[in-house]
Amino acid sequence: MDQVKPKVFFVLGGPGAGKGTQSAKMVEKYHFVHLSAGDLLREERSKKTQNAELIEEIIKSGQIVPSHITISLLESAMQAKGLDKMFLIDGFPRNQENFDVWIKLMGDKVEFKKLFYFECDEETLKNRIKIRAQESGRSDDNDETLVKRLKTYNESTRPIIQYFDSLSQCIHIKADKPIDEVFQEITKKLDEIL
Ligand code: UP5
Ligand code: MG
């Protein structure tokens, strides 16, 4: 008998594009399991494990944590939730190394479905993060790190999105609209494929 493979959707977009906000809504309506790679890394950092310091250093500098750390957290979380589930993996893969290592370690273990790409202009991204910074307590929600996060996104993550797009595996969502309007577009496009 074939082994059940978890279904995986990736969710990408710039810092503040609404990946977390919309994922929460998708969990409610479609019973996805939401795994934010950033949340998993922040949780790992708070456990004071041997990787904690490294993770904090990288997050604060707006760079990308080595793939084996992130993927091992993602795989453990998937196993804990149950492999028969449909996962929204938010904020991953962020660069070519993430993607290559994912394919090597997880490619055969999951059924990849689509990548959601939340398109949002940089001014809107900056404004949202500035507002959230007032109360998020995130060590990367400050002007200096935000510039670096945007640079990393433009240089390393965009090419990954373009790659999926070239394979017609990318669902484009206009993410610079009010939250409910963005979600409407998601449901319209998701209902066509589920
Ligand atoms: N908001 C959301 N949608 C809105 C809308 N439509 N209209 C108005 N306001 C809206 O939203 C951000 C803010 O905007 C909130 O206040 C929200 O209310 C409002 P959110 O849903 O949180 O956006 P999101 O895209 O999730 O933004 P986030 O800041 O989480 O994105 P990042 O990609 O920067 O953060 P992430 O947590 O994924 O990664 C953080 C860091 O971890 C990375 O920079 C990196 O250093 C590290 N990382 C890795 O190294 N590897 C990984 O695989 C993942 C992360
Ligand atoms: Mg997020």
Side-chain angles (χ1 to χ4, degrees):
M1 201 173 75
D2 285 343
Q3 205 192 338
V4 178
K5 291 186 181 182
K7 295 181 176 57
V8 166
F9 289 75
F10 291 136
V11 182
L12 288 177
K19 302 184 291 297
T21 303
Q22 296 299 333
S23 292
K25 294 176 82 66
M26 288 158 85
V27 165
E28 256 177 55
K29 187 168 162 87
Y30 296 97
H31 308 293
F32 280 106
V33 174
H34 173 216
L35 296 180
S36 156
D39 286 349
L40 290 171
L41 289 167
R42 284 183 286 274
E43 197 185 315
E44 186 67 6
R45 175 188 62 182
S46 70
K47 284 187 195 154
K48 308 274 177 240
T49 56
Q50 54 174 354
N51 286 327
E53 247 175 67
L54 174 72
I55 293 171
E56 173 56 8
E57 215 174 280
I58 294 175
I59 286 181
K60 244 183 139 173
S61 62
Q63 293 184 332
I64 297 168
V65 173
S67 302
H68 67 275
I69 297 177
T70 315
I71 292 171
S72 123
L73 293 172
L74 286 169
E75 187 174 14
S76 299
M78 287 169 82
Q79 279 165 352
K81 295 289 181 185
L83 298 179
D84 55 337
K85 301 285 190 315
M86 196 162 67
F87 290 91
L88 279 179
I89 299 192
D90 152 5
F92 182 93
R94 283 178 119 84
N95 64 5
Q96 191 63 45
E97 194 235 359
N98 274 177
F99 182 56
D100 291 343
V101 181
W102 170 268
I103 291 296
K104 191 165 160 225
L105 299 179
M106 300 297 294
D108 289 338
K109 296 185 188 172
V110 303
E111 181 186 336
F112 172 74
K113 303 295 279 184
K114 293 275 180 191
L115 180 148
F116 282 99
Y117 166 37
F118 290 164
E119 294 178 29
C120 197
D121 64 276
E122 209 159 290
E123 274 317 297
T124 305
L125 296 178
K126 284 182 185 163
N127 287 336
R128 287 183 188 169
I129 296 294
K130 274 183 188 154
I131 294 170
R132 192 184 62 185
Q134 293 164 9
E135 53 183 34
S136 75
R138 269 176 57 165
S139 63
D140 59 347
D141 275 353
N142 58 71
D143 290 350
E144 198 186 331
T145 310
L146 181 55
V147 170
K148 295 177 181 162
R149 285 158 74 188
L150 286 165
K151 185 169 188 289
T152 303
Y153 172 68
N154 286 323
E155 290 177 357
S156 303
T157 311
R158 275 187 187 280
I160 300 298
I161 296 168
Q162 279 157 7
Y163 170 73
F164 280 91
D165 202 19
S166 73
L167 300 176
S168 305
Q169 290 177 340
C170 191
I171 301 176
H172 289 246
I173 303 292
K174 288 187 187 66
D176 56 353
K177 299 187 170 169
I179 291 173
D180 287 339
E181 277 182 43
V182 177
F183 189 58
Q184 255 179 27
E185 188 183 352
I186 293 173
T187 57
K188 192 166 164 268
K189 294 192 169 163
L190 202 46
D191 288 342
E192 283 168 15
I193 59 164
L194 282 182

